[in-house]
Amino acid sequence: MADIVVLAAPAVDAAHRNCVKHLFSMLRENLGDDWARLHCDTFPTVEALPGNTQRVFEDMRKCEVDSLRARKFLLNTLAENSAQLGDIHSRSGLYERTQTAIYQTLQKAAAAAGDCAPVLLISHSASCISLSNYLWDAQRPSVNHGVWRDGGPAEVRKGSARERFLRLKTLSHWYTLGAGTPLWFGAKQRDQIQAVATTSRGYQFRWKNFYHPDDLLGWPLKPLSPSYNQAVFRDYATRPLSDPDNALAGPQLLPPEDYWRNELVWEQLGKDLSTLLQNTKPKADASAQRSRRAVAV
């Protein structure tokens, strides 16, 4: 069995999943033999709005607008999150289907690494909102929506190690990359803007947020409210404003590669994974499986 779980959530555009493959490939190269101690996987993209965003995009193309690639990414991102919240109470709606996909990925990770394995999450763009919603619901005894509706799925025993894992109570680190969270809280008072718990409700994890100063969908999170200031360990600007390569760029929608391959992200990820590997005792059968384990991407 694996010792540590690393799960990545790319943006809604399926093409961005290639960035995650690059991420895992680099991990494999950098970790050497320790790579076999990881269970790596991605959260599947739920087919949310079949054909709708593509139709809107094609209609907009008729006007020959500029920056089509950036506009399509923005359209997909905002449409995905707004659609989730639009049918939050529906048992077959996008909100619940998205959470079910997260839940099933965690079930697979638990089977591969055990119910007590530490988890490191890496999410980009719209996926930051989806995982935040999942965590928020999982941190409450009962909600009236999503996969944790009425206390959660009946097949998982309440209070068991498996339930703790599925509620992400073994989460050790959460990396949010290019999170547009403030865009969804513009109408709320500061004291109404609440973050997920990082050091209470049975949780103890470090939340690191990475943003590019010119990325319109990437924001610092600590200034959002007192709750976010307490929950987020640190906001990291992936490039300084004084960077001459970006001095004339101005506001833009950055591709996910700017985050997945950023040196600062890799520096922090390398440190945190090394610490996790050192502090996590290898399972007894891990050495026998190291030569034949494969990554799931």
Side-chain angles (χ1 to χ4, degrees), residues 29 57 107 120 139 161 173 229 232 245 248 259 267 284:
E29 292 176 8
F57 179 67
Q107 282 275 36
L120 189 149
Q139 291 180 347
H173 295 83
N229 183 53
V232 178
D245 292 335
L248 300 177
Y259 291 101
E267 176 188 349

Side-chain angles (χ1 to χ4, degrees), residues 209-240:
N209 179 58
F210 299 83
Y211 72 98
H212 189 294
D214 287 336
D215 185 8
L216 293 174
L217 286 181
W219 293 67
L221 298 182
K222 289 181 74 67
L224 191 53
S225 71
S227 176
Y228 270 85
N229 183 53
Q230 181 177 2
V232 178
F233 172 71
R234 183 176 170 182
D235 289 316
Y236 296 85
T238 58
R239 294 183 185 176

Side-chain angles (χ1 to χ4, degrees), residues 53-54 56-57 70-80:
T53 54
Q54 184 62 31
V56 172
F57 179 67
R71 289 175 185 272
K72 185 175 184 181
F73 176 59
L74 180 62
L75 175 64
N76 286 337
T77 299
L78 297 184
E80 173 82 10

Side-chain angles (χ1 to χ4, degrees), residues 52-84:
N52 291 347
T53 54
Q54 184 62 31
R55 173 187 53 78
V56 172
F57 179 67
E58 292 298 332
D59 288 344
M60 295 303 102
R61 289 186 66 178
K62 298 172 185 177
C63 296
E64 297 182 353
V65 293
D66 292 333
S67 306
L68 284 177
R69 181 169 178 266
R71 289 175 185 272
K72 185 175 184 181
F73 176 59
L74 180 62
L75 175 64
N76 286 337
T77 299
L78 297 184
E80 173 82 10
N81 285 148
S82 62
Q84 282 193 43

Side-chain angles (χ1 to χ4, degrees), residues 11-12 46 50 55 60 66 72 83 93 117 126 128 135 150 175 177 187 190 204 208-209 213 215 237 241 254:
V12 291
V46 175
R55 173 187 53 78
M60 295 303 102
D66 292 333
K72 185 175 184 181
C128 299
L135 264 169
D150 302 326
Y175 281 54
L177 316 176
R190 294 188 82 234
Q204 189 69 44
K208 295 184 176 183
N209 179 58
D215 185 8
L241 284 172
L254 291 175

